[in-house]
Amino acid sequence: MTQATEEVGVFVDAELYARVQQFYAWHMGLLDDGAPDDWADAFTVDAAFGEPGQANSFLGREAIRASVRARAEKLAEEGVVIRHWFGMTTVDPESDGALRVRNYALTLAVAPGGPPVVRGHAVCHDRLVPDGDSWLIASRHIQPDGSTR
Amino acid sequence: MTQATEEVGVFVDAELYARVQQFYAWHMGLLDDGAPDDWADAFTVDAAFGEPGQANSFLGREAIRASVRARAEKLAEEGVVIRHWFGMTTVDPESDGALRVRNYALTLAVAPGGPPVVRGHAVCHDRLVPDGDSWLIASRHIQPDGSTR
Amino acid sequence: MTQATEEVGVFVDAELYARVQQFYAWHMGLLDDGAPDDWADAFTVDAAFGEPGQANSFLGREAIRASVRARAEKLAEEGVVIRHWFGMTTVDPESDGALRVRNYALTLAVAPGGPPVVRGHAVCHDRLVPDGDSWLIASRHIQPDGSTR
């Protein structure tokens, strides 16, 4: 089950796949709707968050929370709405119950009165660990393709 | 089951989730492919359709039909193709069998000979009521993030 | 099961739908990550690939491979990253076990140091034939909506 998706196209069952899809729709919706604290709560206490080249690497939920709060405040001041689309999802279960999840991440920004603008695209690599009926994000590695800032 | 997705991330089972995804792929495809009448038929007779700030609120299937027909005719005259992506879907079942569905809605427009342009982004809140093996849309509330017109 | 999606909204079961979604996430990821040979291997030996108006029609896996290799080399020279989103997926099973799959296909391009740019949008019509636990693409018909080149 840990073979790379590149090898054969790993298929997980529909229940797992649908839950992972719903996890991201819920989780990124929290951020986009201005609930950065709830968003941060979905990381493990010792989560690693890394985005190379963006001076944007953090260790631990509280560091992630501080960063996302600052970003949310800046967006609120500017009146900018961000919408994150996560998709093209692949899921590789590990033997310990964790999941390696890869998503394409498309970021759209809408300034006041403006049209939506594609702000960035990245490939997002997460490790999800079970947490009751859901998961916590134990690590997120963002591989940016490009962005407007 | 009616708790807000913000609370815990409501997960519906894969069969329901996959059907809802297919419903939107089918339904918005009708509109994009120039079948506004078929699109309108997926609303209940007394459906409410609302898009604040767009002078775009209608009550009843026939009012929705008249509006979408006019829009489709205008697009056809201009030779513009619209493609709607619905995604980042969350589904909250209600106790009466209806579904509260939230989608991100990305609208791309392609003018004759032109490239695709992001025209708008919104969050689309639907209430789906069972109709045989599928659903009808009893209400649609569109929360626009921004658009080019 | 072969009725057009336009008729009633064909719903396939969640296991099939989730596998088809994963197939495209895996397959287009191969191309975007610079593995055109692996991408080509997912076509049948005698696959038909057609994109009207793009001088872009090929017959057979090796012709598809040669074309995609040339395109990948050109992108690599230019330092351009392409990301393909396939979504709004509908699946119509045929009586012989093949699947007719329709996807919206959004193409984003990122030049060195640049932001992501919407390069094209198309509707992609595939015929998938069973191949062990997965599928091979027996035909791909691309219906372009518009593109920047």
Side-chain angles (χ1 to χ4, degrees), chain C residues 70-149:
Chain C
R71 185 164 50 163
E73 282 166 21
K74 185 164 178 292
L75 291 171
E77 281 169 21
E78 298 170 345
V80 172
V81 173
I82 298 285
R83 294 290 174 192
H84 290 89
W85 282 66
F86 272 44
M88 299 298 282
T89 310
T90 60
V91 182
D92 291 321
E94 301 193 316
S95 57
D96 63 357
L99 304 177
R100 295 279 178 185
V101 184
R102 166 185 155 136
N103 281 292
Y104 280 8
L106 172 65
T107 307
L108 295 152
V110 190
V117 174
V118 175
R119 173 170 286 192
H121 195 275
V123 183
C124 181
H125 302 268
D126 283 352
R127 185 166 183 269
L128 302 186
V129 294
D131 179 60
D133 286 340
S134 183
W135 295 278
L136 293 173
I137 304 169
S139 73
R140 168 161 294 180
H141 174 77
I142 298 172
Q143 169 196 337
D145 292 318
S147 101
T148 57
R149 50 171 68 180

Side-chain angles (χ1 to χ4, degrees), chain A residues 56-144:
Chain A
N56 204 4
S57 292
F58 307 101
L59 195 58
R61 180 192 287 162
E62 295 315 312
I64 295 168
R65 186 191 309 279
S67 164
V68 73
R69 270 188 186 161
R71 185 164 51 162
E73 281 167 20
K74 185 164 177 294
L75 290 171
E77 281 169 20
E78 298 169 347
V80 172
V81 173
I82 298 286
R83 295 290 174 192
H84 290 89
W85 282 66
F86 273 43
M88 299 297 282
T89 310
T90 61
V91 181
D92 291 322
E94 301 194 316
S95 56
D96 63 356
L99 304 176
R100 295 278 177 185
V101 184
R102 166 184 154 136
N103 281 292
Y104 280 8
L106 172 64
T107 308
L108 295 153
V110 190
V117 174
V118 175
R119 173 169 288 192
H121 195 277
V123 183
C124 181
H125 302 268
D126 284 351
R127 185 166 182 270
L128 302 186
V129 294
D131 179 59
D133 287 340
S134 182
W135 295 278
L136 293 173
I137 303 170
S139 74
R140 168 161 294 179
H141 173 78
I142 298 173
Q143 169 195 339

Side-chain angles (χ1 to χ4, degrees), chain C residues 27-40 56 58 63-84 110 119 149:
Chain C
H27 187 241
M28 296 311 294
L30 290 176
L31 183 58
D32 295 347
D33 284 345
D37 273 304
D38 295 334
W39 183 83
N56 204 5
F58 308 101
I64 295 168
R65 186 192 309 279
S67 163
V68 74
R69 270 188 186 161
R71 185 164 50 163
E73 282 166 21
K74 185 164 178 292
L75 291 171
E77 281 169 21
E78 298 170 345
V80 172
V81 173
I82 298 285
R83 294 290 174 192
H84 290 89
V110 190
R119 173 170 286 192
R149 50 171 68 180

Side-chain angles (χ1 to χ4, degrees), chain B residues 26-107:
Chain B
W26 162 75
H27 187 241
M28 296 312 293
L30 289 177
L31 183 59
D32 295 348
D33 284 345
D37 273 304
D38 295 335
W39 183 84
D41 285 338
F43 288 84
T44 60
V45 170
D46 59 350
F49 186 106
E51 186 173 356
Q54 300 288 314
N56 203 5
S57 292
F58 307 101
L59 195 58
R61 181 192 286 162
E62 295 315 312
I64 295 168
R65 187 191 309 279
S67 163
V68 74
R69 270 188 186 162
R71 186 164 50 163
E73 282 167 20
K74 185 164 176 295
L75 291 170
E77 281 169 20
E78 297 169 346
V80 172
V81 173
I82 298 285
R83 294 290 174 192
H84 290 89
W85 282 66
F86 273 44
M88 299 298 281
T89 309
T90 61
V91 182
D92 292 321
E94 301 194 316
S95 56
D96 63 356
L99 304 177
R100 294 279 178 186
V101 184
R102 166 184 154 134
N103 281 292
Y104 281 8
L106 172 64
T107 308

